[in-house]
Amino acid sequence: MKSKRYFNTTGFCMPERHYMIDPLRNQKIIFDLIEKTQYFTIHAPRQTGKTTLLHELAHRLNKEGNYISVVFSVESAGYRSITEEIANKKIINSLYSSSGQYLNKKNCPIPPEKYTKDLTLENYLIDWAISQTKPIVLLLDEIDSLYDDVLVSVLRQLRNGFQIRPKRFPSTVALVGLRDVREYKTKVRPSEASLGSGSPFNIKAESILLGTFTKEEITELYNQHTKDTGQVFTKEVINRIYELTGGQPWLVNAVANEIVEKILKSDYTKKITL
């Protein structure tokens, strides 16, 4: 019988569709930072599970009921010719649009077109936080897609709100991208060592670098396929895949997908051998 799940090589992972291991398995630090109302960054190369981790984190926080949490991307404002005003509108629209995927209507921010004050990200987040009884955990994906004054403006608005959290601003903000925050300056003023009068995000408590899969985690992932189909990845095969991929999550999934679906044509009676 064909498995309902498969090895994912496109987009973020969903447990009902994909073989996956808990992206928060080694991330006690994230929950500690949220409990302490800290701001932090998460960074890693592409296709290492950042977005999967964010979605799982937001859904888990909302399910547990102590926070309200939203993941949203700022990539729509990620081009050089954009003005700060237009960037604010695009980022706010992205936040509002994404909030419906995670929250019920009463916990979502006001629709941007109904907002009567000066439409800046800072103002919008202040009024959203004031309207809620639970602290907000805000997860900004693709933060380093922003350029120049737009990037500095967003970081400074978040820094301004830090002082009035959690009653009047998100309790925790995580910035997620390819780079650590200290490298953002290369997207603003590459030839200078500073972003100006003080870092626009000098409030971060931690920079978290996502790691690769261990051999044991690859085994755990592949065992899910074995449980669903009976088809075994032998220890020798797993060792070789770990050697070839270094545990890079996308490669680990891609190699398995190549073997199972393309080479063996989803014939689960066939053995997977070196």
Side-chain angles (χ1 to χ4, degrees), residues 7-247:
F7 292 102
N8 185 34
T9 59
T10 58
F12 65 90
C13 292
M14 293 173 279
E16 68 276 11
R17 296 185 183 182
H18 307 128
Y19 300 125
M20 60 178 288
I21 56 177
D22 181 5
L24 296 167
R25 63 201 176 281
N26 299 319
Q27 297 297 344
K28 180 179 181 296
I29 184 174
I30 290 178
F31 294 99
D32 289 343
L33 290 167
I34 291 171
E35 185 176 348
K36 294 175 182 176
T37 69
Q38 297 292 338
Y39 286 16
F40 57 95
T41 65
I42 299 173
H43 62 106
R46 295 193 184 282
Q47 298 180 310
T48 51
K50 297 187 297 299
T51 304
T52 297
L53 181 148
L54 295 180
H55 283 265
E56 178 66 22
L57 176 60
H59 285 304
R60 191 173 301 186
L61 291 172
N62 290 324
K63 184 177 180 179
E64 290 173 352
N66 297 319
Y67 302 91
I68 59 175
S69 183
V70 173
V71 179
F72 74 105
S73 172
V74 298
E75 192 172 15
S76 60
Y79 52 94
R80 288 191 181 276
S81 59
I82 195 170
T83 66
E84 291 180 45
E85 180 181 3
I86 295 175
N88 268 278
K89 290 179 180 178
K90 285 184 174 292
I91 291 168
I92 290 167
N93 283 333
S94 176
L95 168 58
Y96 175 72
S97 176
S98 295
S99 66
Q101 301 175 37
Y102 298 92
L103 307 173
N104 57 44
K105 191 172 182 180
K106 71 177 183 179
N107 293 134
C108 290
I110 186 173
E113 64 273 14
K114 295 183 179 180
Y115 192 75
T116 57
K117 299 181 183 178
D118 184 22
L119 189 60
T120 66
L121 181 62
E122 184 177 344
N123 288 344
Y124 194 70
L125 292 177
I126 287 173
D127 287 333
W128 183 28
I130 290 172
S131 72
Q132 300 302 310
T133 58
K134 297 177 183 178
I136 296 170
V137 176
L138 197 60
L139 308 171
L140 282 77
D141 203 5
E142 304 287 353
I143 183 64
D144 50 359
S145 67
L146 303 181
Y147 287 94
D148 304 325
D149 291 340
V150 169
L151 174 58
V152 173
S153 172
V154 169
L155 296 178
R156 285 185 172 153
Q157 288 181 81
L158 296 175
R159 183 182 65 181
N160 290 343
F162 181 80
Q163 307 302 330
I164 57 175
R165 79 195 194 290
K167 299 293 186 181
R168 299 183 63 238
F169 209 73
S171 170
T172 294
V173 173
L175 302 183
V176 185
L178 300 177
R179 304 169 178 82
D180 189 6
V181 69
R182 65 176 177 268
E183 299 175 52
Y184 292 177
K185 68 182 179 65
T186 63
K187 298 204 66 179
V188 182
R189 300 185 181 95
S191 62
E192 298 180 19
S194 172
L195 286 171
S197 56
S199 168
F201 203 68
N202 57 5
I203 48 169
K204 74 169 178 75
E206 294 284 347
S207 292
I208 299 169
L209 173 64
L210 297 189
T212 54
F213 288 160
T214 64
K215 195 179 298 184
E216 291 72 25
E217 288 167 342
I218 297 175
T219 302
E220 179 185 344
L221 180 72
Y222 289 179
N223 279 348
Q224 293 178 24
H225 173 77
T226 302
K227 185 177 180 180
D228 281 6
T229 67
Q231 190 171 50
V232 176
F233 286 83
T234 65
K235 184 177 180 180
E236 292 75 20
V237 169
I238 291 173
N239 288 342
R240 182 59 174 154
I241 290 174
Y242 179 71
E243 179 185 341
L244 291 169
T245 66

